Amino acid sequence: MQILWYDLKRAVQASQGIAGHINVTGDEVKKLDVLSNDLVINMLQASYSTCVLVTEENKDAIITPAEKRGKYVVCFDPLDGSSNIDCLAPIGTIFAIYKRTSEGEPTEKEALQPGNQIVCAGYALYGSATVVAMSTGAGLNFFMLDPAIGEFILTDRNVKIKKKGKTYSLNEGYAKYFDPAVTEYIKHKKFPEDGSAPYGARYVGSMVSDVHRTIAYGGIFLYPANEKSPKGKLRLLYECNPIAFLVEQAGGLATTGTQRILDIQPEALHQRVPFVVGSQDDVEEYMSFVKKYKK
């Protein structure tokens, strides 16, 4: 793991700019997207533990060669928030690990498991420090890279998110396209009817960074469906499921607005879903607005 993070850190210094093509999910690809994707694939296959890999940057699932094959399926976003690379804002890596469910030659169907079958998930955040948040289903732990010894040190054990926060995180540039439920919920956060203090707005544009802050301080992160993206924008297998798993391990909630994220049966490798995650009270309040304005 240390080798991977160090390689990514060095790559950042030399790989700014656009690679010149669009990935399978329609995003402009940065040079570091390509390099980080190759690094993660190579490290996972070299572990002799994986059989199927699903990544944002590849249309089809990657089948590990038979001589290096193991029993685990890994779905990952090699570089979340890569649009922030050139301005040096925090970026990250997200992953979810499953056990394969069948015998014989592995196929992409091995990756189409609901998030409630995850055996391990995590993210790495490359910011003012390098932090890995990880869970194997027994609580959420934070590890920080100590450059002096080249090791990740456990800094926060059994992390818990506050039951209610004071901030919301949302790209309000899409406000024109919001559903009425989202519009009214944000209005309620800005102008609370009970006279309480309004929520603060915080949005980096890198989900790992926004989610890490939400876990640390409480609150809610929203990337709901809208008129331009009626099925949502974030990808279920390698963005929403791992983050939902981690937040639930910390005592929070993750939903589409009407359904628990981890209960969704995936139908495609790059399936998109609406995504709302954070403190229990905040997410439940959001769901009440969705129910109120349901068509």
Side-chain angles (χ1 to χ4, degrees), residues 1-294:
M1 182 176 284
Q2 289 93 331
I3 296 173
L4 174 61
W5 309 141
Y6 275 127
D7 284 346
L8 285 173
K9 185 176 180 180
R10 287 198 301 268
V12 169
Q13 299 172 355
S15 300
Q16 292 182 320
I18 298 169
H21 61 277
I22 303 297
N23 68 16
V24 65
T25 61
D27 296 328
E28 188 175 61
V29 177
K30 299 279 188 175
K31 293 177 183 178
L32 193 57
D33 282 313
V34 178
L35 181 56
S36 60
N37 192 52
D38 290 342
L39 280 171
V40 176
I41 291 170
N42 291 340
M43 293 294 288
L44 288 173
Q45 292 189 334
S47 72
Y48 289 79
S49 300
T50 66
C51 58
V52 178
L53 307 178
V54 175
T55 165
E56 177 185 8
E57 305 302 329
N58 292 64
K59 178 180 179 181
D60 300 316
I62 301 166
I63 307 301
T64 300
E67 67 274 13
K68 295 184 177 181
R69 196 169 292 165
K71 62 181 179 180
Y72 292 103
V73 177
V74 184
C75 303
F76 62 93
D77 181 351
L79 206 62
D80 175 71
S82 57
S83 62
N84 285 325
I85 290 172
D86 291 347
C87 68
L88 302 182
I91 53 180
T93 300
I94 310 172
F95 66 89
I97 303 174
Y98 303 80
K99 282 186 178 179
R100 67 173 304 186
T101 57
S102 64
E103 301 294 332
E105 191 67 17
T107 68
E108 70 173 38
K109 291 183 179 180
E110 298 284 357
L112 299 179
Q113 300 183 46
N116 55 35
Q117 297 302 305
I118 288 175
V119 297
C120 178
Y123 61 76
L125 174 62
Y126 317 117
S128 54
T130 299
V131 176
V132 170
M134 190 167 65
S135 175
T136 56
L140 173 62
N141 299 312
F142 289 165
F143 302 82
M144 187 174 294
L145 178 64
D146 184 341
I149 60 174
E151 297 285 348
F152 282 90
I153 307 300
L154 176 62
T155 54
D156 298 274
R157 186 190 301 272
N158 198 25
V159 175
K160 294 298 180 184
I161 189 172
K162 293 178 181 177
K163 196 161 184 257
K164 182 178 176 65
K166 297 180 180 179
T167 62
Y168 69 90
S169 183
L170 169 76
N171 185 351
E172 294 192 73
Y174 291 111
K176 175 181 177 181
Y177 308 107
F178 286 165
D179 291 339
V182 179
T183 300
E184 291 302 313
Y185 176 74
I186 297 304
K187 180 181 177 182
H188 171 68
K189 294 290 95 180
K190 292 179 175 180
F191 307 99
E193 297 85 352
D194 61 3
S196 60
Y199 270 39
R202 301 287 186 273
Y203 188 72
V204 175
S206 167
M207 183 173 68
V208 167
S209 181
D210 285 314
V211 166
H212 187 73
R213 182 194 59 251
T214 300
I215 293 174
Y217 299 145
I220 186 169
F221 170 84
L222 309 96
Y223 213 121
N226 57 49
E227 288 182 16
K228 293 188 70 174
S229 303
K231 294 184 178 180
K233 182 71 183 293
L234 298 178
R235 279 60 60 116
L236 176 63
L237 290 186
Y238 43 80
E239 291 177 324
C240 301
N241 270 345
I243 295 299
F245 182 81
L246 296 174
V247 170
E248 285 200 4
Q249 287 294 310
L253 297 178
T255 178
T256 63
T258 59
Q259 183 180 9
R260 181 186 180 220
I261 291 293
L262 296 181
D263 288 339
I264 299 173
Q265 175 58 53
E267 298 177 354
L269 296 181
H270 302 287
Q271 179 178 342
R272 300 176 189 266
V273 295
F275 190 57
V276 176
V277 65
S279 297
Q280 179 181 334
D281 288 357
D282 291 315
V283 175
E284 287 179 345
E285 184 181 42
Y286 170 78
M287 290 191 289
S288 73
F289 276 78
V290 173
K291 186 177 180 180
K292 179 180 178 180
Y293 289 91
K294 189 175 182 180

